[in-house]
Amino acid sequence: MELKVSKNGMIMRRTTFDLDALRSFSEGMECGSFARAAQRLNKSTSAVSAHLKKLEEQAGAPILRKSGRGLALTEAGEVLLSYARRMLALNDEAAMAVGGTDLEGAVRLGFQEDFSEHLLSDVLGVFGRSHPGVRIEAKIERNAELLEQIQGAALDLALMWHHGQQAKDMEVLGEYPLHWIGSREVDLAGETPVPLVVIEAPCRMRSIATEALDRKGIPWRIAVTSPSLGGVWAAVSAGLGITVRSTFGMPASLQVRSEGLPALPSVRLALRRSEAELGPVCQRLHDIIRQSVQLKAP
C-alpha cells in the first residue's frame, strides 16, 4: 500500500494490486479450483492461498465466500475479477509486444461464426500490434468445416464449439449454457407449433432444439432456414421465430426467452490445434485467444 498526500493535506490510501496475485485469483476462478490453478501456474497451493489473502488485504474486503463445499465470489470479488482479467490481458499484451517483435511467419486461424464479431477483431488487433512481422490468415466457418480443416492441417488453430469427448489436440476454454433466444419486440410465447429459426443441417444446435421440444411433446415447425448465423439472427430479430444458441455475440435486439420451453444443455468451447506442439507464433496467438475469451465470456 502506498500513501499519497492530497492537495488539501489529507493522506489518501493508494493501492497497487499485485499482478501475480491477480493471476492466481483469475486462474482459480477459470479452473473452478484454486488447487488446479496452482498446478497450471506451477505454484504451491499455499502460495496461491497467500495470494488470495494478499488481495483481500489490498481490496480491504473479502473477495470469496463459502458456498456449500466450495467458494463463490463476493460482490467485491466480482468487481475485482473483471478488472483482474483486463489488467492481466494488458500486462501480457505489453510483454508480448516488447518480447515478440522478432517473431515472423504466418498462422492460419479459424473462428466459428458466433465469435466472428465478438472476438475476432480484438484478437487480430492485439496480435497485430504485438507481432507486426506475422501474417494472419483468418477464416469464419461453421463447426463442421472448421473441424475438417483442423484435422486436415489446413488451419493451425480453430475456436469452435465442441461436442463429445475431449481430444489431445484441444483445450476446453469453458462451458456455456444454451438458451432459447427470441426478439425483444415480438413475443412468441405460447405459439404452437413453436416456430424455429435454424442453420441448415447438419447443425448440432438445430438438433438440440428439436430434440428438447420432442422430449417434452411440444410441437414445432421450421420457420426459417439459413446457411449462416447472420441470417439466423436477422430472422429472429424480425420476429419470425426463436433459435437455440449461446449468448456469445447475441445482438442487442434479441433476448433470452424461456416461457414454456424446455431446459437446454451447456456446450463446451474449445480451442483446437492441428499440431500436438505449437510453435512460438501459434502459441502466442493461442494465448491471446484464451485471454480474449476470458474477457468476453457472457
Side-chain angles (χ1 to χ4, degrees), residues 185-204:
E185 304 298 328
V186 182
D187 188 359
L188 297 173
E191 182 170 335
T192 55
V194 175
L196 296 178
V197 178
V198 296
I199 288 180
E200 292 176 348
C203 172
R204 181 57 183 156

Side-chain angles (χ1 to χ4, degrees), residues 179-189 195 197 232-247 250-259 261:
H179 301 280
W180 298 99
I181 295 175
S183 170
R184 290 184 180 275
E185 304 298 328
V186 182
D187 188 359
L188 297 173
V197 178
V232 167
W233 290 142
V236 175
S237 295
L240 300 180
I242 60 174
T243 194
V244 165
R245 215 75 198 174
S246 157
T247 54
M250 183 180 75
S253 60
L254 305 182
Q255 65 179 350
V256 172
R257 311 299 296 255
S258 59
E259 306 90 340
L261 296 168

Side-chain angles (χ1 to χ4, degrees), residues 118-140:
H118 202 51
L119 287 173
L120 186 58
S121 60
D122 288 348
V123 167
L124 297 185
V126 170
F127 191 84
R129 290 191 298 271
S130 302
H131 311 295
V134 177
R135 185 179 74 256
I136 300 179
E137 298 176 12
K139 290 185 177 182
I140 300 169

Side-chain angles (χ1 to χ4, degrees), residues 57-258:
E57 291 173 351
Q58 291 181 325
I63 59 175
L64 295 166
R65 60 178 176 80
K66 289 186 178 180
S67 178
R69 296 183 179 180
L71 294 171
L73 292 170
T74 63
E75 185 175 347
E78 290 180 352
V79 173
L80 183 59
L81 180 60
S82 175
Y83 279 102
R85 287 170 171 166
R86 289 155 58 188
M87 291 164 68
L88 291 168
L90 187 59
N91 174 82
D92 294 345
E93 181 182 343
M96 285 187 288
V98 171
T101 54
D102 58 339
L103 282 181
E104 295 182 347
V107 60
R108 301 163 300 172
L109 171 65
F111 263 73
Q112 212 276 345
E113 289 181 291
D114 295 72
F115 316 106
S116 60
E117 295 183 9
H118 202 51
L119 287 173
L120 186 58
S121 60
D122 288 348
V123 167
L124 297 185
V126 170
F127 191 84
R129 290 191 298 271
S130 302
H131 311 295
V134 177
R135 185 179 74 256
I136 300 179
E137 298 176 12
K139 290 185 177 182
I140 300 169
E141 301 277 9
R142 293 174 58 183
N143 251 43
E145 286 80 6
L146 290 176
L147 181 58
E148 181 180 347
Q149 291 182 49
I150 276 288
Q151 292 175 337
L155 290 173
D156 299 305
L157 293 169
L159 183 67
M160 55 191 294
W161 297 119
H162 176 70
H163 311 281
Q165 298 298 315
Q166 185 165 345
K168 293 181 179 179
D169 65 344
M170 63 181 280
E171 178 183 353
V172 175
L173 301 184
E175 188 166 336
Y176 302 97
L178 294 177
H179 301 280
W180 298 99
I181 295 175
S183 170
R184 290 184 180 275
E185 304 298 328
V186 182
D187 188 359
L188 297 173
E191 182 170 335
T192 55
V194 175
L196 296 178
V197 178
V198 296
I199 288 180
E200 292 176 348
C203 172
R204 181 57 183 156
M205 304 293 187
R206 173 181 179 144
S207 299
I208 288 173
T210 57
E211 289 167 7
L213 292 169
D214 285 342
R215 282 195 299 270
K216 291 295 184 179
I218 300 174
W220 52 270
R221 64 183 177 86
I222 301 297
V224 178
T225 300
S226 170
S228 68
L229 183 58
V232 167
W233 290 142
V236 175
S237 295
L240 300 180
I242 60 174
T243 194
V244 165
R245 215 75 198 174
S246 157
T247 54
F248 253 115
M250 183 180 75
S253 60
L254 305 182
Q255 65 179 350
V256 172
R257 311 299 296 255
S258 59

